[in-house]
């Protein structure tokens, strides 16, 4: 239903915002965990723009954490979302 979809997108956006906050606080582990939750929620809703945005953010976080191969993978996935 529309209400269920709104709830899923609200959860996804909330996780995305929390992940951004934890990234700004330099808590990469918590941030990545929250990005993964947001990604799963956006994917479940079929929200391609949200999927792409989360994958881009995951790529930036991985790059900032010196995980270049992982960053490249996330960014390539973001381009395909």
């Amino acid at each position: 239903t529309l209400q269920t979809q709104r709830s899923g997108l609200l959860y996804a956006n909330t996780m995305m915002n929390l992940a951004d906050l934890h990234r700004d606080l330099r808590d990469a582990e918590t941030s990545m965990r929250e990005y993964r939750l947001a990604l799963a929620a956006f994917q479940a809703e079929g929200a391609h723009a949200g999927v792409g945005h989360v994958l881009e953010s995951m790529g930036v976080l991985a790059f900032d954490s010196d995980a270049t191969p992982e960053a490249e993978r996330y960014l390539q996935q973001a381009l395909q979302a």
Side-chain angles (χ1 to χ4, degrees):
T1 67
L2 184 58
Q3 184 65 25
T4 303
Q5 184 178 14
R6 285 184 183 156
S7 294
L9 292 175
L10 178 62
Y11 174 78
N13 282 303
T14 300
M15 293 287 53
M16 181 77 180
N17 289 335
L18 285 171
D20 289 342
L21 173 68
H22 284 112
R23 184 184 67 203
D24 291 345
L25 294 172
R26 303 203 191 293
D27 184 352
E29 184 177 329
T30 300
S31 182
M32 188 59 81
R33 184 172 52 249
E34 291 164 344
Y35 281 137
R36 287 188 179 113
L37 292 171
L39 178 61
F42 280 126
Q43 287 171 329
E45 296 299 329
H48 300 290
V51 169
H53 186 191
V54 174
L55 286 167
E56 177 190 12
S57 296
M58 291 170 77
V60 170
L61 178 61
F63 183 77
D64 289 346
S65 301
D66 294 324
T68 304
E70 190 175 349
E72 289 177 11
R73 189 178 80 244
Y74 288 132
L75 294 171
Q76 284 295 326
Q77 291 175 0
L79 291 172
Q80 297 171 8

